[in-house]
Structures are given as C-alpha cells and as structure tokens.
Amino acid sequence: MRNLLLLSSLFCLLISCSKQNNLKPLDLRSYGAEVTIMAPENSEVKKVEGFITDITVRKDSTYEIQIFLSEKTNDDIAAVTKGQLELVKENPFFSKILKEETDGFLYENQLDGASNFGFRRIVLSGNQEIIFQNALLGTYSKEQAESMYEAVKQKK
C-alpha cells in the first residue's frame, strides 16, 4: 500500500512538472505591462483599456490569468497585498488562505461543499501597480491555482 501511494505521488509530481515545463516566457511589454510571465505556448492575449487596463492571458480552461494595470498609488507592496487580501476575504464563499507572501497569496473559496482555488500576486513596477489573479469566471483546482501563481512570479 505504501509503495502504491509513493508511486501515485511520484506520478502526480511528474505530471505537474511536465505541465510547468510546457510554459514559456511571455513578455507583456507590448500590452503595456512591464513584466514577463510564464504561459503556455500560443496563449491567447486580450487587452481591454479603461481606467484600469485588463489583460487576459488564456490557453484553455486550466490556464486563464487576468492582469490589472493601474497607476501606482502606494510604494508599499505589503500594504497593496493586504488590501487585495481584504477584498478576497469579503467574498461570502471565502474559506481560507493557503499561502501568504509579501507580494501575493493563494486562497480557497467553498460553495456547496465544492472548493475553488484562486490567487493574487502584486508587482509594483515603475509607476504601475500590476495585479495578477485567476480569471474570476473559471473554476480551478489547487494545483492549477498554484501553477498560475508561480507562473506570474517575477524573477529578482
């Protein structure tokens, strides 16, 4: 039994790594964001401009990231992250925070006993505040949310 559990865990890890390896750098400067993220090859990118610019990067129902660009109003990334955390916690379906960092977090929502996972990651670049999150209309597993969260992590 222990060997079966070990083998199934190894199999899941290999699948997760192979999915992560299929991600390629996607430079978003041509869309107005001074960042590069990891995205599946041939991802569809859409931009909607307004008071806040909304860039959506989508490959399929397992990878859909929304990126919101606005003028930076605060140089304290922890304060911006805290504000995003408060917004997420206001959702009546909010369940818990799974991971919290200075520049982002992973969380769980629950509706009728079903879990849906999401994330927020914040980047302050030049005069821009950039907020990455999962698409709000999608349903994501913990692994999908974690993968997208890591895909938008900026190299330092």
Side-chain angles (χ1 to χ4, degrees), residues 44-105:
E44 177 184 1
V45 182
K46 290 184 179 179
K47 178 180 176 181
V48 177
E49 292 203 47
F51 179 69
I52 294 178
T53 300
D54 178 357
I55 302 168
T56 302
V57 180
R58 182 180 195 281
K59 179 62 177 177
D60 55 36
S61 63
T62 63
Y63 185 99
E64 190 168 9
I65 295 175
Q66 281 188 280
I67 305 153
F68 297 105
L69 306 174
S70 61
E71 190 173 319
K72 183 169 62 173
T73 58
N74 192 335
D75 287 323
D76 183 356
I77 198 162
V80 177
T81 302
K82 182 180 178 191
Q84 288 295 310
L85 186 58
E86 290 170 2
L87 286 173
V88 165
K89 287 181 174 181
E90 288 175 3
N91 183 332
F93 304 112
F94 172 78
S95 174
K96 63 183 171 185
I97 295 297
L98 303 172
K99 181 178 189 174
E100 189 172 352
E101 299 177 313
T102 304
D103 65 346
F105 54 91

Side-chain angles (χ1 to χ4, degrees), residues 95-96 108-117 139-142:
S95 174
K96 63 183 171 185
E108 177 185 31
N109 286 336
Q110 284 214 340
L111 175 61
D112 297 329
S115 293
N116 184 31
F117 297 88
T139 302
Y140 305 100
S141 69
K142 181 179 178 186

Side-chain angles (χ1 to χ4, degrees), residues 12-35:
C12 289
L13 178 64
L14 288 173
I15 288 175
S16 171
C17 288
S18 71
K19 284 184 180 179
Q20 192 76 323
N21 288 338
N22 289 332
L23 301 179
K24 308 285 184 208
L26 176 62
D27 186 340
L28 296 172
R29 284 182 293 180
S30 64
Y31 297 94
E34 295 293 321
V35 293

